[in-house]
Amino acid sequence: MRRLLVFSSLAAAAVLIGAEGGLFSILQSNARIGLQGDGLYLLPTNQLLRPWGEQAAIKGRPVDLAFNSQKRLLAVLNWRSVLLRDGVSGAALADIRSRPTSYAGIAFRPGDRELWASETTRDGPDSLLMVELSATGAVASSERLSLPGHPVPAGIAFSGDGKIAYVAFSRNNTLAVIDATSRRIEREIPVGIAPFGVAVSGNRVFVTNRGGRRATASDTTAPSSGSMVVSDAVTGSSASGTVTVVNAADSSTREISVGLAPSGLALSPDGKLLAVANGHSDSISLVNADSLESTELKIPTWPEGTLGSQPIAAAFAPDGRTVYVACGGNNAIAVVRRSGEQWKLAGALPTAWFPSGIAVDSNGALHVITIKGTANTAVGNGTFNSKQYEGSLVTIPAPAEAQLLAGMREVRAANSPRFEPAGGVANLSSLGIRHVFFIIKENRTYDQVFGDIGKGNSDPKLCVYGRDITPNQHALAERYVLLDNFHTGGAISFDGHQWLMQAFVSDYVERAFAASPRGYAWNMADALTVSPAGFFWQSAKRPLDVRIYGEFCLPARWDPATQSMVDMNEGQLLGWYDYWRLYKEGKWQDVVGSRSGVPALAKIISPRYPFSTTSIPDQIRAEEFLKEFAGCEKTGTLPNISVIHLNEDHTNGTRPGSPTPRAMVADNDLALGRIVEAISKSRFWPQSLILAVEDDAQDGFDHVDGYRTVALAIGPHVRHGAIDSNFYTHTSMVRTIQDIFEISPRTRYAANARAMTSIFTPASDTAPYQCLPARIALDERNPPLSSLTGKRLWAAQQSLAMHWSHPDDVRSDVLNRILWWDAKGYQTPYPVR
């Protein structure tokens, strides 16, 4: 559970080549993800890491932390446990198992004999874990306060005497007042939308509201876990951030405006100043705790002028004249100091990947939780998987002035790494590409599909869905470019789709992996997940036509009687074989459809295209797209950007009543092949580009890294017969589309990403592609339970128990075993120690 790593702020990376005036040397264009040498790491977000201080690895995704009053015990809210550490040495004292934990919420009750932590699940029940400690800090016992409904507890703070606990109830939009002795909820005080952090100063309780104020009838709104959020009419993101100030004596409230997505907050030692971290405004608000007057201080992002420093937590130094701000996007702590009557940025300190919480001890040393550590995805025996989560606890001594300036130089350089030129076509807009088809698939690693391709950095031992199952993907990779150094930005669908659609992921998502308690909004059907910079096409200099097929969508079906879409839920879905029968009979059109989960995008959604579910074959998706595409052929008008979701390669495991995993992957491959063939034989082909990629690589293994995945580039201007080993990522693909259409990147991740110039050639080859037929039956059925024994029976029972109607609401460690044994044989050793 714990591995101690010490990083030097003066290390140099051996893999780098000659320095050319920068703090870090230039990376080779084909640099590998991960450790480059001497403590320098390359991330799938196109950032470098070289954390200062000491770093203790933590298995899981830690999100919050707190000291006891004497600073002798440090408690960490991990994703499925609460960790106790020695406040001085950092030594592990206890690992207390818990239910899945919340976005935040861990605090010692005054007197230091109790530790409270917020627990929550996907749909409830929710609870507060209360750990009793001995006089020496040892764990004596624990109990739970079960919470009615599904309120999603988050931040916790206590009254000065410890008699009252104040807990943010995120989904209830209330502050719960709890008698800490009787364990009774006395009342809930209405606050803003999605309350998050709580702090107490005398008789005042401060609560940050991530969704801001409550909406009025005149506001544009978007949904978030049952509440309507004031939102931007264009992007669909939340457009308000507030702090509710509660008078503890009479429960009266006042509300003050701060930046967007306020989350962590901290009070100065004298209780007179409140610091609020505004994650979507790249700022902190400094609020006078008496007058409630506030000022906003921007926290810079690199590259400059973009969104993404993401300040999400804050803590004061013991003297009250310094505020440390955890910046998840910068992988750094911003240091803000008081100079006279003003507060100014004094510097920064490099951390590991995505710091989410910070605490300061009596000596001024910083203790920082990072959710993703150093991106270690190793699972053993030379294999990697993106769900091998590992965060870290970083300890940095109180910094001197010179260290702050040096640290800021390092942070700036780490967020703008330089690579050797990748070659190819530098000016992508010169190619004359007018139509990009962006195809999003589900959950496969590079080796899982291309391990058998016989060239590039491939490992046949890990191949599960090779050429016999994915003939079109193999043929396309061999005809055009084999991208064997391409990586996802995210670990699962929850964040993977957001990297691809916005080149941004909020801490609201990063903190929620234990349970996604406000909903698994991979489709961004939650305004709090949406970037204030909007979606990647929304900053275009000239108008672009965009069409969305399946992405962002919720369940619906076409009603021929009313000639309109009808909302539906997953319980109204037919079975896979029912849809397959209707497809074969040509009668599927009136039983599928979509509605937008992002109201701002409703006008560009294809309503007849099926929403994302593994109950509907991808052949129906291909058929509906091709039907609409044929109409474009007749009119000669085609959108500039088409986003197409093909999700059947997700599979349903070996669930009886579903197709086999390989049949579902083959269905997905054939749908891709059919779409490529139609585009390549159309009038639009000479000015087209097709980019296909997996949203993540969670359900399989790879011998290079857990983030490495399958990506394809197809088109007249794409090189033929090439192996391209340049380091590319999800955001590289987004940046490629942006450069083609001269769209200004607005997030730091897109601005910092390299466009995939090396895959292109100025020459044009418009030869069409001929789709290869499936080599196995697409309706090949998993056997019934009655015919199974041993591991096969176990696999089918586990698959039946999984909640397939919600993407990834399954145990991936179990599903990975099922997929491996189903493909390789149940006697084949699983490739994990």
Side-chain angles (χ1 to χ4, degrees), residues 698-782:
Q698 66 172 300
D699 286 338
F701 299 98
D702 191 88
H703 82 281
V704 172
D705 191 83
Y707 288 99
R708 195 170 70 134
T709 195
V710 176
L712 297 167
I714 305 151
H717 286 287
V718 177
R719 294 166 60 202
H720 278 49
I723 299 173
D724 192 324
S725 299
N726 287 291
F727 176 76
Y728 290 136
T729 66
H730 271 172
T731 45
S732 302
M733 196 167 272
V734 171
R735 180 61 185 270
T736 301
I737 301 172
Q738 290 184 322
D739 280 12
I740 286 169
F741 293 111
E742 299 181 311
I743 302 171
S744 299
R746 295 172 63 184
T747 71
R748 65 149 316 282
Y749 301 104
N752 189 51
R754 296 192 300 165
M756 299 166 64
T757 59
S758 62
I759 69 174
F760 295 101
T761 175
S764 177
D765 182 344
T766 59
Y769 175 74
Q770 184 63 46
C771 175
L772 298 177
R775 299 181 181 180
I776 63 171
L778 301 188
D779 59 351
E780 180 182 76
R781 192 185 294 257
N782 285 320

Side-chain angles (χ1 to χ4, degrees), residues 240-269:
S240 168
T242 62
V243 171
T244 298
V245 185
V246 179
N247 185 321
D250 60 9
S251 298
S252 62
T253 63
R254 290 181 59 183
E255 195 168 51
I256 57 176
S257 294
V258 292
L260 298 177
S263 50
L265 74 173
L267 278 162
S268 60

Side-chain angles (χ1 to χ4, degrees), residues 72-383:
R72 293 176 181 173
L73 288 178
L74 182 67
V76 175
L77 189 69
N78 200 8
W79 75 323
R80 288 172 183 168
S81 66
V82 173
L83 310 178
L84 278 181
R85 297 286 185 262
D86 185 279
V88 178
S89 68
L93 301 178
D95 184 351
I96 306 159
R97 299 301 299 170
S98 70
R99 294 171 179 167
T101 58
S102 188
Y103 301 94
I106 189 162
F108 286 90
R109 184 179 176 188
D112 294 339
R113 298 297 294 272
E114 284 183 9
L115 174 66
W116 288 36
S118 290
E119 299 176 315
T120 183
T121 59
R122 178 76 62 94
D123 300 306
D126 303 332
S127 54
L128 294 170
L129 175 66
M130 301 156 177
V131 180
E132 183 180 351
L133 304 172
S134 71
T136 61
V139 175
S141 63
S142 65
E143 62 177 305
R144 281 187 174 85
L145 173 62
S146 296
L147 303 174
H150 181 37
V152 183
I156 302 170
F158 289 91
S159 59
D161 60 10
K163 293 182 179 180
I164 299 294
Y166 298 100
V167 182
F169 277 4
S170 177
R171 287 192 77 248
N172 286 10
N173 303 320
T174 61
L175 177 70
V177 180
I178 301 174
D179 185 309
T181 302
S182 68
R183 316 299 207 215
R184 182 170 56 87
I185 299 175
E186 294 188 340
R187 59 190 175 279
E188 292 185 43
I189 302 170
V191 292
I193 300 297
F196 184 92
V198 185
V200 177
S201 177
N203 282 328
R204 280 184 166 172
V205 184
F206 298 92
V207 184
T208 55
N209 302 306
R210 284 197 67 104
R213 63 178 175 82
R214 297 189 180 218
T216 65
S218 61
D219 287 317
T220 299
T221 60
S224 175
S225 197
S227 296
M228 298 309 292
V229 176
V230 178
S231 66
D232 184 275
V234 175
T235 65
S237 64
S238 60
S240 168
T242 62
V243 171
T244 298
V245 185
V246 179
N247 185 321
D250 60 9
S251 298
S252 62
T253 63
R254 290 181 59 183
E255 195 168 51
I256 57 176
S257 294
V258 292
L260 298 177
S263 50
L265 74 173
L267 278 162
S268 60
D270 61 8
K272 294 182 178 180
L273 188 67
L274 180 73
V276 180
N278 306 313
H280 286 190
S281 286
D282 289 352
S283 70
I284 61 169
S285 294
L286 296 167
V287 182
N288 185 302
D290 294 322
S291 69
L292 303 185
E293 295 179 350
S294 69
T295 58
E296 189 170 356
L297 177 67
K298 285 291 184 179
I299 304 297
T301 302
W302 295 284
E304 294 176 352
T306 58
L307 172 80
S309 61
Q310 293 181 259
I312 55 177
F316 279 86
D319 64 5
R321 300 182 64 84
T322 299
V323 181
Y324 297 109
V325 185
C327 297
N330 283 350
N331 303 325
I333 301 299
V335 182
V336 176
R337 283 196 168 160
R338 185 170 181 173
S339 177
E341 295 301 313
Q342 293 186 322
W343 290 82
K344 298 180 179 179
L345 182 71
L349 304 170
T351 68
W353 192 6
F354 214 90
S356 63
I358 183 170
V360 182
D361 67 23
S362 301
N363 297 319
L366 285 67
H367 301 258
V368 182
I369 283 295
T370 73
I371 295 178
K372 298 190 279 187
T374 58
N376 177 30
T377 60
V379 293
N381 291 344
T383 62

Side-chain angles (χ1 to χ4, degrees), residues 35-52:
L35 183 62
Q36 308 296 295
D38 295 332
L40 188 68
Y41 291 82
L42 176 61
L43 298 181
T45 51
N46 302 292
Q47 296 168 290
L48 293 171
L49 286 182
R50 196 163 69 191
W52 283 15

